[in-house]
């Protein structure tokens, strides 16, 4: 028979409207640590067993509960087909939260066209699945059942952090884990909490959405091995999706285990201070080796303020004039991002005003950084990779350096001129780091892995992308140069790095429903590859660095243990008779949003414009993929030579 379910109004039983932080109520939510007990945070929201469900009876005589969703029609005398429809929708909700090796979503209303999807029940389901995954892994590793598995949680100052932290603790407790609340923390500190004594937790979660708007939030996962891979996070999200779909993950009103509050950040800061003191080994000021140096820190109102008062100040540095150190989850001054022009401009102005030796810009959770030298020159992107390469190659001559495939041809020359090897690889910081780990395990010495976004990891630091540790390396080199009699400043190490003549990034939105966007994006990018291989774009060839087993646009591993591909992308080098090889085009699928990024770089004037026109006319339009893509930004650039 045909059973038609009536339209049911959509209600959210998991949110407490009176406690959802908004722009007007954010003052009560920005404390670095829990200022309210977990019981106070949870007792106001109740979930009666029948709430949110409409009990439907059919003529056969049984009843079933239908979660409020939307009008559904099924042909069934039972619940199987109905459940299948609802379960598929619920599974997709969790799976779409996966963002490569992270989980990210909208946690607060306020974004046009975006609904809240990172809800407390979703977070609890994911956290429970992570806890179970950790326990299962430890039991497999040790060969016997484990108890008292310890997991820590840190968070950035986002205004949804307190509410979602309760969900994390509830999920971990439900999985059987002991939970520890680090309060305001950084992403690298969360990993280090699994390493440094006396903490040495079995696993850790960082709640952050990096540089994304205050409405977003997310989760990053760590074990003692490091950050989880995309494949591992996919497994966790799949398990969480089933819990969520089965309504197993209503946010707990009472926690069976109250988290233990810990001050790990002081231990982490001391760890960084000891590294600086030991490696500088100052002949006059062994305990305050930064005495006489003025350093400006711009924390962007994120989690990075600790580096000023707990690291630099205690080592003798003058940090007067530093910017936006107080944590504020609304990020009122600028996006906390070392790639942000406003962040770099404000830091540059402060460095010049104070005649400082160095300026530092952190992103929200301090896994990325950028710097400004003593002459006010911003150092990020390729310049930061070049600076770190120069430092690392002094310590480890001949080492391989892995970057994403958006770096310039000039950077490759910079690295090779200093005796290093440059491996270009997939965009995505986790991809770049994992490639370095793989190269080392295969006997290829690789000490630096770095993405143009500022994510950088070192072999000596557990392959951890740590913006604070990168700055520590730069500060150590700066002091060593001064002790050796140089007054040139850190920027002198990259004075011979050539900059590309032109560089452009274009965005192409995918015109599709969200659930189909990934498939459509992959289709467009695979068509791009086919067009190049078939010679339809004259002078275009899939690129590879030639120094390793990465081929097909620096994407595909041809070794015996290829890494899985999390997002499609290809890089093509472009040549013509007049200039020879003069540029490249990189087309990649975003893992954050339903769009495609196209990066173009040229060493000759007008090169980006000519490549963009060929890309549009001889690929996008000729292949027909433009029919499901919004290429308006490409059109604007090809017609005006600018997207401004």
């Amino acid at each position: 028979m045909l059973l038609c379910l009536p339209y049911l109004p959509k209600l959210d039983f998991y949110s407490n409207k009176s406690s959802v932080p908004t722009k007007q109520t954010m003052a009560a939510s920005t404390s670095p640590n829990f200022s309210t007990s977990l019981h106070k945070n949870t007792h106001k929201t109740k979930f009666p067993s029948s709430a949110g469900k409409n009990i439907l009876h059919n003529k056969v005589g049984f009843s079933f509960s239908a979660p409020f969703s939307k009008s559904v029609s099924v042909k069934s005398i039972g619940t199987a087909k109905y459940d299948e429809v609802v379960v598929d929708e619920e599974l997709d909700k969790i799976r779409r939260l996966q963002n490569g090796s992270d989980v990210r979503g909208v946690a607060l209303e306020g974004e046009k066209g975006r609904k809240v999807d990172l809800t407390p029940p979703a977070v609890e389901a994911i956290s429970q699945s992570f806890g179970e995954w950790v326990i299962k892994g430890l039991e497999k590793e040790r060969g016997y059942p484990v108890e008292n598995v310890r997991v820590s949680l840190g968070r950035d100052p986002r205004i949804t952090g307190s509410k979602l932290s309760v969900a994390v603790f509830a999920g971990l407790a439900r999985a059987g884990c002991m939970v520890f609340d680090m309060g305001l923390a950084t992403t690298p500190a969360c990993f280090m909490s699994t390493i440094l004594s006396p903490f040495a937790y079995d696993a850790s979660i960082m709640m952050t959405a990096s540089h994304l708007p205050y409405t977003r939030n997310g989760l990053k996962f760590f074990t003692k091995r490091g950050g989880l891979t995309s494949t591992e996070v996919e497994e966790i999200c799949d398990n969480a999706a089933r819990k969520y779909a089965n309504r197993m993950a209503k946010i707990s009103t009472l926690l069976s285990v109250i988290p233990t509050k810990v001050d790990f950040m002081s231990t982490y800061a001391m760890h960084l201070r000891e590294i600086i003191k030991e490696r500088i080994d100052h002949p006059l000021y062994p305990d305050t080796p930064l005495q006489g140096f003025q350093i400006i820190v711009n924390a962007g109102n994120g989690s990075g303020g600790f580096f000023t008062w707990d690291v630099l100040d205690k080592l003798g540095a003058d940090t007067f004039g530093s910017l936006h150190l107080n944590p504020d989850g609304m990020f009122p001054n600028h996006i906390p991002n070392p790639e942000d022009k406003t962040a770099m401009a404000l830091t540059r102005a402060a460095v010049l005003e104070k005649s400082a030796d160095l300026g530092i810009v952190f992103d929200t959770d301090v896994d990325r950084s950028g710097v400004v030298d003593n002459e006010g020159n911003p150092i990020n992107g390729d310049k930061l990779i070049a600076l770190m390469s120069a430092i690392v190659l002094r310590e480890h001559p001949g080492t391989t350096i892995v970057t994403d495939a958006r770096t310039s041809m000039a950077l490759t020359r910079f690295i090779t001129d200093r005796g290093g090897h440059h491996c270009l690889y997939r965009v995505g910081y986790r991809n770049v780091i994992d490639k370095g780990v793989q190269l080392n395990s295969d006997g290829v010495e690789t000490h630096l892995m770095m993405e143009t976004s500022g994510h950088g990891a070192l072999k000596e630091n557990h392959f951890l992308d740590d913006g604070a540790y990168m700055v520590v390396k730069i500060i150590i080199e700066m002091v060593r140069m001064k002790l050796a009699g140089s007054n040139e400043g850190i920027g002198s190490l990259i004075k011979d790095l050539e900059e590309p003549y032109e560089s452009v990034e274009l965005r192409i939105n995918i015109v599709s429903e969200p659930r189909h966007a990934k498939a459509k994006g992959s289709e467009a990018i695979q068509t791009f590859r086919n067009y190049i291989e078939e010679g339809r774009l004259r002078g275009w060839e899939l690129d590879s660095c030639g120094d390793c087993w990465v081929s097909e646009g620096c994407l595909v591993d041809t070794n015996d243990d290829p890494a899985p591909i999390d997002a499609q992308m290809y890089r093509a080098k472009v040549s013509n008779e007049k200039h020879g090889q003069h540029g490249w085009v990189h087309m990649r699928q975003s893992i954050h949003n339903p769009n495609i990024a196209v990066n173009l770089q040229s060493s000759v004037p007008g090169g980006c414009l000519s490549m963009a026109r060929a890309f549009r006319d001889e690929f996008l339009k000729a292949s027909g993929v433009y029919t499901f893509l919004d290429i308006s930004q490409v059109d604007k650039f090809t017609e005006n030579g600018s997207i401004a």
Side-chain angles (χ1 to χ4, degrees):
M1 73 176 182
L2 178 65
L3 172 64
C4 295
L5 306 182
Y7 173 78
L8 301 174
K10 188 175 182 181
L11 300 177
D12 185 1
F13 299 100
Y14 301 111
S15 64
N16 180 354
K17 295 297 183 184
S18 64
S19 64
V20 175
T22 64
K23 200 165 187 174
Q24 288 72 33
T25 62
M26 54 87 177
S29 304
T30 55
S31 170
N33 296 298
F34 278 160
S35 58
T36 307
S37 75
L38 289 169
H39 288 295
K40 288 182 180 178
N41 280 342
T42 57
H43 81 277
K44 296 178 181 178
T45 306
K46 298 184 182 297
F47 303 97
S49 59
S50 60
K53 297 182 181 179
N54 188 25
I55 305 301
L56 303 176
H57 299 265
N58 67 12
K59 293 180 180 179
V60 179
F62 62 85
S63 65
F64 61 92
S65 59
F68 286 150
S69 178
K70 62 183 179 181
S71 180
V72 181
S73 296
V74 295
K75 292 181 179 180
S76 174
I77 60 172
T79 62
K81 189 67 176 179
Y82 172 81
D83 286 345
E84 181 181 318
V85 173
V86 174
V87 166
D88 283 347
E89 291 178 355
E90 300 302 293
L91 289 172
D92 282 343
K93 286 181 182 178
I94 300 295
R95 287 169 177 159
R96 284 199 296 268
L97 292 172
Q98 184 185 358
N99 183 71
S101 57
D102 306 339
V103 165
R104 287 185 188 174
V106 178
L108 185 66
E109 291 181 1
E111 285 192 50
K112 186 177 180 180
R114 294 293 298 267
K115 295 181 179 180
V116 173
D117 52 9
L118 192 69
T119 59
V123 170
E124 183 175 352
I126 294 168
S127 300
Q128 180 184 351
S129 294
F130 174 63
E132 293 170 349
W133 182 88
V134 170
I135 292 171
K136 181 180 177 181
L138 289 173
E139 289 180 341
K140 182 178 179 181
E141 176 185 319
R142 298 175 185 177
Y144 56 82
V146 296
E147 295 181 350
N148 301 324
V149 172
R150 302 157 67 243
V151 182
S152 62
L153 171 71
R155 60 186 176 93
D156 72 19
R158 291 171 192 275
I159 59 177
T160 54
S162 292
K163 179 180 179 180
L164 294 180
S165 292
V166 176
V168 172
F169 293 135
L172 291 173
R174 179 176 283 181
C177 299
M178 299 173 64
V179 288
F180 297 82
D181 177 17
M182 292 169 54
L184 184 71
T186 69
T187 293
C190 283
F191 167 70
M192 293 303 294
S193 75
T194 71
I195 301 295
L196 296 180
S197 296
F199 302 91
Y201 301 119
D202 296 296
S204 185
I205 298 175
M206 175 65 180
M207 184 179 293
T208 182
S210 189
H211 61 283
L212 295 179
Y214 71 91
T215 52
R216 306 286 183 95
N217 217 326
L219 303 171
K220 296 183 178 182
F221 307 97
F222 298 96
T223 66
K224 293 179 185 293
R225 294 184 293 106
L228 270 61
T229 65
S230 297
T231 304
E232 290 167 337
V233 175
E234 182 179 4
E235 177 187 344
I236 289 166
C237 286
D238 280 345
N239 291 335
R242 287 189 285 274
K243 298 183 195 311
Y244 185 82
N246 292 330
R247 291 295 188 257
M248 291 174 61
K250 296 176 183 176
I251 188 70
S252 302
T253 56
L254 290 174
L255 299 182
S256 58
V257 177
I258 301 300
T260 302
K261 291 187 178 182
V262 294
D263 177 17
F264 177 76
M265 290 303 294
S266 295
T267 298
Y268 173 63
M270 182 175 67
H271 168 70
L272 296 178
R273 293 198 307 269
E274 291 302 316
I275 290 172
I276 293 173
K277 288 193 292 185
E278 178 185 333
R279 296 186 187 175
I280 291 176
D281 192 20
H282 201 291
L284 299 177
Y285 312 114
D287 292 324
T288 56
L290 302 187
Q291 190 170 322
F293 288 88
Q294 179 152 23
I295 301 174
I296 300 292
V297 176
N298 183 348
N301 301 113
S303 297
F306 85 97
F307 195 78
T308 307
W309 50 72
D310 248 3
V311 179
L312 299 179
D313 288 351
K314 291 183 178 180
L315 292 175
D318 178 359
T319 59
F320 182 74
S322 290
L323 306 168
H324 318 317
L325 302 181
N326 59 306
D328 185 335
M330 297 299 293
F331 311 123
N333 292 291
H334 58 73
I335 299 170
N337 185 355
E339 294 183 288
D340 181 66
K341 291 181 179 180
T342 302
M344 294 303 285
L346 289 173
T347 309
R348 177 181 186 274
V351 166
L352 293 175
E353 180 185 350
K354 302 297 180 184
S355 299
D357 298 284
L358 186 70
I360 301 165
V361 180
F362 288 125
D363 77 336
T364 314
D365 57 322
V366 198
D367 58 359
R368 296 186 297 140
S369 56
V371 297
V372 176
D373 72 9
N374 61 340
E375 296 181 357
N377 298 310
I379 300 177
N380 55 10
D382 277 10
K383 291 181 180 179
L384 185 61
I385 298 175
L387 176 59
M388 289 304 304
S389 297
I391 294 171
V392 169
L393 283 166
R394 286 183 174 186
E395 299 172 347
H396 305 283
T399 190
T400 293
I401 293 165
V402 182
T403 73
D404 65 275
R406 293 172 297 179
T407 54
S408 67
M409 295 179 287
L411 178 65
T412 299
R413 288 194 295 271
F414 182 90
I415 291 171
T416 55
D417 286 349
R418 283 157 179 76
H421 301 275
H422 186 195
C423 174
L424 296 160
Y425 199 56
R426 300 174 201 158
V427 174
Y429 73 93
R430 193 72 254 164
N431 291 330
V432 171
I433 295 171
D434 288 347
K435 171 51 62 178
V437 172
Q438 182 190 56
L439 287 171
N440 277 287
S441 67
D442 288 343
V444 180
E445 186 182 75
T446 305
H447 283 274
L448 175 65
M449 301 116 260
M450 201 156 186
E451 196 186 34
T452 49
S453 64
H455 280 284
L458 290 153
K459 179 181 179 181
E460 69 188 50
N461 191 42
H462 311 282
F463 297 99
L464 172 66
D465 50 322
D466 186 343
Y469 193 87
M470 285 287 165
V471 169
V472 163
K473 293 285 289 186
I474 292 169
I475 289 173
I476 291 169
E477 189 65 26
M478 177 182 71
V479 177
R480 284 174 173 172
M481 290 171 65
K482 191 79 168 181
L483 289 173
S486 172
N487 292 313
E488 287 189 303
I490 204 74
S492 64
L493 295 178
I494 57 170
K495 60 185 177 182
D496 59 340
L497 174 69
E498 299 174 19
E499 294 192 52
Y501 195 89
E502 297 175 340
S503 184
V504 177
E505 180 173 285
L506 304 173
R507 290 279 174 170
I508 300 173
N509 290 323
I510 301 169
V511 183
S512 168
E513 296 209 9
R515 68 171 61 194
H516 302 306
K518 185 173 183 179
K520 286 293 184 182
S522 296
E523 178 184 341
I525 293 170
Q526 285 301 317
T527 304
F528 177 64
R529 168 190 168 175
N530 295 340
Y531 259 58
I532 294 172
E533 289 183 330
E534 293 167 7
R536 299 195 190 189
L537 287 160
R538 186 178 177 186
W540 292 40
E541 181 184 350
L542 288 179
D543 203 359
S544 62
C545 61
D547 280 343
C548 62
W549 43 82
V550 185
S551 65
E552 297 183 35
C554 296
L555 173 71
V556 176
D557 296 306
T558 57
N559 59 327
D560 294 334
D561 187 25
I565 296 173
D566 56 355
Q568 296 293 329
M569 61 192 82
Y570 291 101
R571 168 167 157 159
K573 54 186 177 183
V574 180
S575 307
N576 60 24
E577 293 180 0
K578 183 177 181 180
H579 300 292
Q581 184 182 340
H582 62 278
W584 53 258
V585 176
H586 187 274
M587 185 180 184
R588 65 184 171 90
Q589 188 172 12
S590 171
I591 59 173
H592 303 302
N593 297 297
N595 64 40
I596 292 170
V598 181
N599 292 86
L600 306 95
Q601 203 169 98
S602 172
S603 59
V604 300
C608 285
L609 185 58
S610 65
M611 290 187 295
R613 286 174 175 165
F615 180 76
R616 181 190 66 173
D617 298 338
E618 299 173 36
F619 167 60
L620 292 175
K621 292 188 174 180
S623 67
V625 297
Y626 76 98
T627 57
F628 56 85
L629 302 174
D630 174 7
I631 65 170
S632 55
Q633 197 172 94
V634 179
D635 284 333
K636 188 173 186 178
F637 179 73
T638 56
E639 292 164 7
N640 305 324
S642 171
I643 57 173

